[in-house]
Amino acid sequence: MTAIVLALIAGAVVGLALGALGGGGSVLAVPALIYLLGFSPSAATTASLIIVAATSATALYAHARDGHVAWRVGSLFAAAGIIPAYLAGAAAGRVPEVVLTVAFAVIAALAAVRMFRPSSPKPPERIRPGKAAGAGAGLGMVTGFLGVGGGFLAVPALVGVLGLTMRRAVGTSLLVITVNSLAALAARTGTGGGLDWALIGPFTGAAILGAWDGKRLSTKVSGNSLQKAFAGVLLTVAVFMLIDVLA
């Protein structure tokens, strides 16, 4: 029962951050699954993909309803990441768990540092297909290997590479994240040993509900304040993971 309560609380926090910030919240899913619910790093990254896919798809519906999703360019960007996400998802199961944990902690720390110093990427003068494909492929690789949505990477890429407004980039990033997460999950089919569905279910449900609350919260609280608060939590978690695995 305690584990289920922890799954509900962790899921709500992840969903709240995802809904409020439009990306980055899913980075907390992996450490929550490892340190609160006892998942192995490999199982945690797989379970995180399930949670991220379901939560992002639900949040995508809300943004699409408001007309904030660029379906055509978002689909092309997502398509570039499908194969890298699939290959990285397959490779993750063969990597030593300590390497997986360190890689995740480093990416989480970099994401936190970037959130502390949010930038406003300028729309490009013209869209470069090669650069867009490279950015989409890189995002797919991160999603597949580490089990994170990568919204903290997708949003600035969609603005700086494809020229979307920030509002449309946030909504479109959810499309990209959903597609990449599903591709990575396809690569991990049959390798889901150790997944506790009795915990993943409540975690996912709470994350979905939290995402809706987060979207409403973003209209009432300064986005910059929310982002810095989340960055502080994320950096603390990343440092804890590095100390734990290297000690």
Side-chain angles (χ1 to χ4, degrees):
M1 181 62 70
T2 301
I4 293 177
V5 172
L6 288 174
L8 289 170
I9 294 173
V13 172
V14 168
L16 193 68
L18 180 64
L21 302 174
S26 59
V27 181
L28 285 179
V30 171
L33 289 164
I34 294 174
Y35 295 105
L36 293 181
L37 302 177
F39 282 61
S40 69
S42 179
T45 54
T46 300
S48 177
L49 287 169
I50 297 169
I51 295 163
V52 168
T55 308
S56 296
T58 303
L60 173 63
Y61 168 78
H63 284 268
R65 185 184 58 185
D66 295 337
H68 297 153
V69 178
W71 291 101
R72 182 173 176 275
V73 295
S75 297
L76 293 174
F77 193 89
I82 290 177
I83 293 178
Y86 184 92
L87 294 176
R94 299 176 174 84
V95 174
E97 294 195 341
V98 64
V99 174
L100 200 62
T101 304
V102 169
F104 179 89
V106 169
I107 289 294
L110 291 174
V113 171
R114 185 191 172 281
M115 287 180 179
F116 273 125
R117 301 178 62 183
S119 60
S120 299
K122 297 179 180 179
E125 294 181 0
R126 66 187 182 89
I127 296 175
R128 300 178 183 274
K131 189 175 181 180
L139 178 62
M141 189 174 297
V142 171
T143 299
F145 190 70
L146 298 179
V148 299
F152 58 91
L153 297 173
V155 172
L158 289 167
V159 175
V161 177
L162 297 182
L164 300 183
T165 64
M166 185 61 70
R167 186 179 292 272
R168 296 198 85 198
V170 168
T172 306
S173 73
L174 293 167
L175 169 64
V176 177
I177 291 166
T178 301
V179 172
N180 286 343
S181 298
L182 292 175
L185 274 174
R188 299 190 185 203
T189 300
T191 62
L195 294 185
D196 189 340
W197 291 97
L199 296 178
I200 293 175
F203 195 119
T204 304
I208 290 172
L209 293 175
W212 286 91
D213 289 335
K215 191 172 184 297
R216 288 194 291 268
L217 178 65
S218 66
T219 64
K220 300 177 181 178
V221 181
S222 165
N224 189 45
S225 298
L226 284 172
Q227 187 160 302
K228 287 185 177 179
F230 176 77
V233 174
L234 184 57
L235 185 59
T236 300
V237 170
V239 171
F240 171 80
M241 291 181 74
L242 283 173
I243 292 173
D244 180 68
V245 75
L246 297 177

